[in-house]
Amino acid sequence: MRIPLSWLREFAAVPAGASAEEVMADLVKVGFEEEAVHRPTDTLQGPIVVGQVLSLVKEPQSNGKTINWCQVRVVPEGQQQTLTGEGIDPSGVQGIICGAHNFVEGDKVVVTLPGAVLPGDFRISARKTYGHLSAGMIASVRELGIGDDHDGILVLSRIGLDPEIGTDAMELLGLYDQAAEINVTPDRGYAFSIRGVAREYAHATGTPFTDPASKVTAPAELSGGFDIKLNDDAPIYGNAGCDRFVARTVRGVDATKPTPPWMVSRLRLAGIRSISLPVDISNYVMLELGQPTHCYDLDTLTGGIVVRRAAQGEKITTLDDKERTLDAEDLLITDGSGAIGIAGVMGGAATEVSDATTNILVESAHFDEVSIARSRRRHKLPSEASKRFERGVDWYVAPVAAQRVVDLLVELAGGTADAEGTDVGTAPDSVTVDLPATFASERIGIDFTEEQILTSLRDLGADVRTTDDGYAVTAPSWRTDLETKEDLSEEIARLVGYDKIPATLPVAPPGRGLTRVQQQRRRLVQALADAGLTEVLAYPFVSKAANDTFGTPVAGADRKALKLANPISEEQGFLRTSILPGLIEVAKRNHSRGFRDLALYETGLVFLPGETLGTASIPPLGARPAEEVLDGLFDGVPDQPLHLAAVLTGHDSPAAPAHTPRAWDYADALDIARLAGDVLGVELVVSQGSHQAFHPGRAAQLALRTGEVIGYAGELHPKLLAAHDMPARSVALELNADALFEAAADVIVARPISGYPVATQDVALVVAADVPAGDVLEALREGAGDLLEEVSLFDVYAGKGIEDGKKSLAFNLRFRADDRTLTADEASAARDLAVAAAHERFGAVQR
């Protein structure tokens, strides 16, 4: 909300010299947030004065243009120029070149003299042009920064002004005014008005407040006016869409009359452009009182007005000249011809006020917040009116706002108001809240005195009665948000002062902190960072082709993915089922910028839709759905497990003297996967794998001891790397981190270290070439018995000395006992048992 200070001063005691910053500082005390300052003089500086064109000579130029060589008087005749500066003529008559042609001799205009500065840091000076010394500029509204019209010069008589020559034009046009902009929270809709902000400023400063509504004299009753009917046969949550409609008639208006500069200035500072006098008056009253109004061309109305719900599929052309298809929930303003406006949101084009309008019907109504908010969102039609209606408007201010519009139309547009009028509707029941005497103190933590409580609530405008155990409080009509004792407590704290609330640090309850999964996730992420990988965050949006490639191990297999309703681009129209596509894009982007040695990782959610996706219908708003409805909603939400993925390209370290960096290979991807398992205390079972995104012979399947496959690691497929312009032999891995967390023990128990020496034995076994080394290793582990502490593969050989179709696998076996030093015979016996198990299972023969 932008608040012009000159307007605010009419109803609140704002010091004459107070700046917008000082006003915002006071409003912060009562819970508003500072947004910005709007001050024309920040970009516009004088001398800028009223001048009169004495003579105008048209001079055609060789470039086809015709310019005007003007003599403009800028001080009253018979007086000398008091301004000084280079280019300012002491005689008070300036020679000025002007290219516009919408003015004539005798017109009074705005003249920017040498030394002035216009928006855009455009500095005015005397300069030689078109064969003359032009000392100044005759300005348009756009050049002054007060409008968009750049068709010609601002002629003051056309906006109803006839000032004395030499008058300060910035003062005349209200350009010394300034506006403070504050953020208004949704529960404080009353502050979307000068009326509301002035009241809050008075709260903040303890100064007097004059209610602008009290300065308007509206009839106590209205009758005999335009026929209005309220007919809501489908109220939302039992609340009628319109519970008050005030209509007044003004005849004989001149809609072409200019809007007074003071009103244009205030509207502009408030962020609303001037359109026409009737529309400007309606907007002005809305900003002043917080009650939106609407002006209809009375002569275009057919019959009476009926406020009703729309028929499904009914259409209306709104003021923005767009035809809109209506929903059965939309509340409409209709006449005999059909819909003429979406209530509280936007009027219809058919009854719009135009320059030809002479008779105006003024609407000032009260609409249901929910109904307006839904229509605004449904039609994507945010407006100043809907912004106020959906936050709540004072029911009792409607006739005052209508009278204020009528008064201004009579005063400024020359109209005559009908004595008759219409006021239909039912006043809402007032709500009285019981506030226990000690409740506010206990809730806020301040010992409020009775005087503080009573003063605060009455300053709000509430009616307060003392009861046996506290207070009975009836909120004012403009504070529909005050419904509970908690609301009242917060208002007391706000008006007494947030700075009075003591600052105390809460004591953390014992036994709480990070959950088990949160701790595991932190350990996992930290371990990868400590291992030298760089964490990145990629977009979760991918293409269909990326999901097809990475989302399932087998090419062409059935795969479901969630399609976005409003994607950033059609190429990225799906939610990811794997993290690797995004990581590869990050790596590719870095490669294109010269960073080629990369070790990147990411932890994030993937989206795996099941058989049920979404629900057949959406539960209605405003009430908590039943448990079975919530269960149905959750059943339709896709599974979203946390995944871990990494991509490694290039080398493991930079080149340096006496150091040759090593290229990343598939073993590094496996090591990172094992590291992820180690920090969580989960043993991963590694076996030969097959995945369409990985190299056919250099991919590993990663599984838990239960047999559940949780990921893949290895070298990416050469075709995929070529398609992404990535280095050959780049490697990657992806794991289901949630499955790791679930498999991890609550407490990782460290294995005791034996004080006895180890006994090592090496063994080389010849097996068929298609036998996975991991399976042979597992057979050795099982056959060796309890004395085996560790077994690892350190060599694979096929070639000379090995039969065709065979390979040699060399393993290191480490034995240790917890209670004694093993003899060589004990170690050898355990080794022989291991070899026997491999022979029995795979026909392994020791070399």
Side-chain angles (χ1 to χ4, degrees):
M1 175 67 187
R2 296 185 184 183
I3 311 109
L5 298 197
S6 65
W7 205 349
L8 184 64
R9 286 189 178 97
E10 290 187 13
F11 311 112
V14 180
S19 66
E21 289 86 352
E22 290 168 333
V23 170
M24 286 194 296
D26 287 325
L27 292 173
V28 165
K29 298 175 185 176
V30 286
F32 293 105
E33 296 177 2
E34 298 179 352
E35 285 290 328
V37 170
H38 301 273
R39 190 163 30 224
T41 54
D42 287 344
T43 58
L44 185 69
Q45 298 174 24
I48 302 176
V49 299
V50 173
Q52 186 171 35
V53 180
L54 300 179
S55 65
L56 181 154
V57 179
K58 295 186 179 295
E59 297 183 355
Q61 303 297 312
S62 59
N63 59 6
K65 292 177 62 177
T66 298
I67 58 95
N68 299 310
W69 170 237
C70 305
Q71 298 298 310
V72 185
R73 178 174 293 283
V74 294
V75 296
E77 188 173 2
Q79 296 183 20
Q80 291 296 308
Q81 176 66 268
T82 59
L83 298 174
T84 59
E86 185 178 352
I88 296 180
D89 196 310
S91 70
V93 177
Q94 300 287 129
I96 299 174
I97 291 290
C98 183
H101 301 281
N102 68 318
F103 65 102
V104 296
E105 293 177 357
D107 280 343
K108 290 183 178 179
V109 293
V110 175
V111 180
T112 58
L113 296 173
V117 180
L118 299 183
D121 198 28
F122 183 73
R123 299 179 180 273
I124 304 300
S125 61
R127 62 187 67 183
K128 190 75 175 289
T129 179
Y130 292 108
H132 299 282
L133 181 66
S134 180
M137 187 174 78
I138 306 174
S140 68
V141 294
R142 187 185 224 181
E143 289 162 341
L144 293 171
I146 59 175
D148 297 326
D149 184 11
H150 195 52
D151 293 336
I153 294 307
L154 172 59
V155 178
L156 295 175
S157 61
R158 294 173 192 163
I159 60 172
L161 295 177
D162 185 21
E164 183 181 2
I165 298 171
T167 299
D168 185 343
M170 293 181 64
E171 178 73 32
L172 180 71
L173 299 174
L175 297 177
Y176 289 122
D177 200 359
Q178 53 186 305
E181 184 175 0
I182 57 173
N183 180 36
V184 178
T185 54
D187 61 326
R188 301 174 72 179
Y190 66 93
F192 276 114
S193 66
I194 300 298
R195 182 192 190 202
V197 175
R199 182 181 283 109
E200 290 296 332
Y201 182 84
H203 293 334
T205 59
T207 54
F209 161 69
T210 301
D211 189 346
S214 67
K215 302 178 73 173
V216 179
T217 304
E221 293 183 0
L222 290 171
S223 61
F226 200 82
D227 183 31
I228 307 290
K229 289 184 174 59
L230 308 182
N231 182 22
D232 187 355
D233 55 1
I236 299 176
Y237 303 136
N239 296 323
C242 178
D243 57 6
R244 188 170 200 178
F245 198 112
V246 177
R248 300 291 304 278
T249 303
V250 183
R251 302 180 189 273
V253 302
D254 182 357
T256 64
K257 282 194 172 183
T259 303
W262 60 266
M263 183 178 287
V264 173
S265 172
R266 288 182 174 180
L267 289 174
R268 182 182 66 251
L269 274 176
I272 295 179
R273 67 184 180 91
S274 175
I275 297 173
S276 68
L277 180 57
V279 175
D280 291 349
I281 289 173
S282 179
N283 286 331
Y284 187 85
V285 173
M286 174 185 67
L287 292 173
E288 185 171 81
L289 297 174
Q291 168 69 55
T293 63
H294 186 71
C295 292
Y296 299 93
D297 186 329
L298 180 63
D299 297 327
T300 64
L301 294 173
T302 305
I305 283 179
V306 178
V307 184
R308 61 167 173 83
R309 297 288 172 182
Q312 188 67 40
E314 190 173 356
K315 297 182 184 299
I316 183 176
T317 300
T318 46
L319 287 174
D320 56 1
D321 290 326
K322 292 184 179 179
E323 185 179 72
R324 301 181 185 276
T325 302
L326 301 169
D327 184 87
E329 273 195 349
D330 288 328
L331 188 70
L332 299 181
I333 311 297
T334 69
D335 68 358
S337 66
I340 59 173
I342 303 175
V345 178
M346 184 173 283
T351 58
E352 180 181 7
V353 171
S354 68
D355 288 349
T357 298
T358 57
N359 301 315
I360 290 177
L361 181 73
V362 178
E363 166 205 307
S364 180
H366 185 269
F367 300 113
D368 174 56
E369 294 93 331
V370 174
S371 182
I372 301 307
R374 290 190 181 181
S375 290
R376 189 266 302 169
R377 287 195 295 267
R378 184 180 299 115
H379 297 290
K380 298 180 176 62
L381 261 179
S383 65
E384 291 294 328
S386 65
K387 180 165 63 177
R388 287 160 175 80
F389 277 128
E390 66 184 76
R391 288 163 172 81
V393 171
D394 185 358
W395 189 91
Y396 290 94
V397 83
V400 177
Q403 183 65 47
R404 178 72 164 135
V405 173
V406 168
D407 292 345
L408 288 171
L409 284 172
V410 170
E411 177 187 351
L412 303 177
T416 302
D418 285 2
E420 299 80 8
T422 306
D423 186 354
V424 294
T426 304
D429 295 331
S430 59
V431 177
T432 299
V433 179
D434 290 326
L435 178 65
T438 61
F439 182 81
S441 296
E442 293 169 352
R443 181 171 180 82
I444 305 300
I446 303 176
D447 290 331
F448 294 114
T449 65
E450 182 177 10
E451 182 183 358
Q452 286 177 316
I453 293 174
L454 291 173
T455 300
S456 297
L457 295 176
R458 286 171 179 160
D459 282 350
L460 287 175
D463 177 65
V464 186
R465 292 182 292 105
T466 303
T467 63
D468 292 339
D469 60 348
Y471 313 94
V473 183
T474 303
S477 57
W478 56 85
R479 291 301 303 270
T480 56
D481 58 306
L482 302 181
E483 299 177 332
T484 66
K485 56 187 177 182
E486 288 80 7
D487 296 333
L488 297 176
S489 299
E490 291 170 6
E491 288 300 295
I492 294 168
R494 184 172 70 87
L495 296 188
V496 171
Y498 290 136
D499 57 324
K500 303 296 192 300
I501 301 175
T504 56
L505 290 175
V507 178
R512 297 186 182 181
L514 297 177
T515 65
R516 169 179 170 268
V517 171
Q518 288 171 333
Q519 292 172 342
Q520 290 170 330
R521 182 172 181 174
R522 287 196 176 190
R523 284 204 304 271
L524 177 61
V525 170
Q526 189 61 50
L528 295 178
D530 292 343
L533 280 75
T534 300
E535 186 175 17
V536 297
L537 184 64
Y539 280 115
F541 314 125
V542 299
S543 65
K544 180 179 183 300
N547 271 341
D548 288 341
T549 300
F550 292 92
T552 179
V554 182
D558 184 37
R559 181 223 26 95
K560 289 185 177 180
L562 288 174
K563 192 175 192 312
L564 295 168
N566 54 341
I568 295 175
S569 69
E570 288 303 321
E571 291 76 19
Q572 296 175 318
F574 291 81
L575 286 174
R576 66 187 178 190
T577 56
S578 165
I579 297 181
L580 282 177
L583 267 184
I584 290 173
E585 283 300 319
V586 173
K588 177 182 176 181
R589 191 177 306 115
N590 278 274
H591 273 261
S592 69
R593 288 159 174 76
F595 298 97
R596 296 189 172 271
D597 297 329
L598 301 171
L600 308 176
Y601 79 98
E602 180 183 1
T603 56
L605 301 180
V606 298
F607 304 87
L608 308 175
E611 294 300 322
T612 303
L613 185 60
T615 55
S617 61
I618 298 175
L621 300 175
R624 177 181 171 82
E627 291 301 324
E628 58 270 18
V629 176
L630 290 174
D631 291 341
L633 290 173
F634 285 120
D635 289 342
V637 175
D639 188 24
Q640 300 172 52
L642 182 75
H643 275 209
L644 158 70
V647 171
L648 296 87
T649 69
H651 298 83
D652 65 346
S653 58
H659 169 70
T660 301
R662 181 182 63 84
W664 296 112
D665 61 26
Y666 74 91
D668 295 299
L670 287 176
D671 286 344
I672 294 171
R674 289 193 178 100
L675 173 63
D678 289 344
V679 297
L680 299 174
V682 177
E683 182 181 0
L684 292 180
V685 178
V686 179
S687 60
Q688 183 69 39
S690 175
H691 192 293
Q692 59 175 320
F694 288 85
H695 191 289
R698 299 175 189 143
Q701 176 180 282
L702 307 171
L704 302 174
R705 278 287 170 191
T706 61
E708 178 186 356
V709 177
I710 63 168
Y712 293 85
E715 189 176 304
L716 290 168
H717 200 290
K719 291 183 178 179
L720 186 148
L721 293 174
H724 285 79
D725 195 23
M726 295 273 287
R729 311 298 291 271
S730 295
V731 298
L733 71 123
E734 184 162 9
L735 288 169
N736 184 335
D738 276 350
L740 280 177
F741 298 153
E742 187 175 347
D746 289 342
V747 178
I748 300 175
V749 180
R751 182 176 178 181
I753 300 175
S754 174
Y756 294 94
V758 298
T760 59
Q761 298 276 341
D762 291 343
V763 61
L765 302 177
V766 178
V767 296
D770 60 353
V771 174
D775 291 349
V776 178
L777 184 147
E778 193 62 31
L780 292 173
R781 179 183 284 118
E782 293 176 5
D786 295 339
L787 293 179
L788 180 66
E789 184 177 79
E790 184 62 52
V791 57
S792 59
L793 175 71
F794 66 86
D795 186 48
V796 179
Y797 173 72
K800 185 177 180 181
I802 301 298
E803 184 180 347
D804 289 344
K806 302 280 187 178
K807 63 182 177 183
S808 172
L809 305 176
F811 298 91
N812 175 263
L813 292 82
R814 189 172 67 195
F815 300 97
R816 188 182 342 230
D818 295 332
D819 56 353
R820 67 189 187 281
T821 299
L822 292 178
T823 64
D825 291 340
E826 288 177 306
S828 296
R831 180 202 62 195
D832 292 342
L833 290 172
V835 172
H839 175 75
E840 180 181 353
R841 192 171 301 178
F842 302 108
V845 177
Q846 189 170 354
R847 287 180 67 185

